[in-house]
Amino acid sequence: MKIDYMLNPLAIVKRFDISYDNGQRRLEGRIYARGEEGLDEANWFDGEVRYPEKCEIGGVQEDQFYQDLKRGAPTQKEAEEKMRRWCESFGLEISAETEEIVGVIR
């Protein structure tokens, strides 16, 4: 997988809508493609959870599931599983998943 950083500067490959507070509020989970310097292809993936269009959520510095998500994984699928485990640990529900196709070359 290659990322066109002109079209997708953050290298987002997947987004998750995470609802809470009985569906009244939502968070956005993101999976990012990462590559080592000098390589053309993404070779690991990590993620984060944000308030929509705002900053990363706080209070997760000691949360083992969230830190595992931030550390990443060698495959996109494994990073997505880490996102799901984090959501489950808080009883949150992923209401939608969207593959990012802008600037992502598979």
Side-chain angles (χ1 to χ4, degrees), residues 20-50:
Y20 69 100
D21 196 16
N22 292 324
Q24 299 296 315
R25 300 174 193 239
R26 65 185 267 295
L27 299 169
E28 178 184 62
R30 297 177 176 177
I31 300 293
Y32 300 99
R34 306 293 187 194
E36 300 296 325
E37 189 173 327
L39 296 178
D40 290 339
E41 304 248 343
N43 62 346
W44 63 284
F45 300 83
D46 66 348
E48 70 177 1
V49 178
R50 305 175 62 84

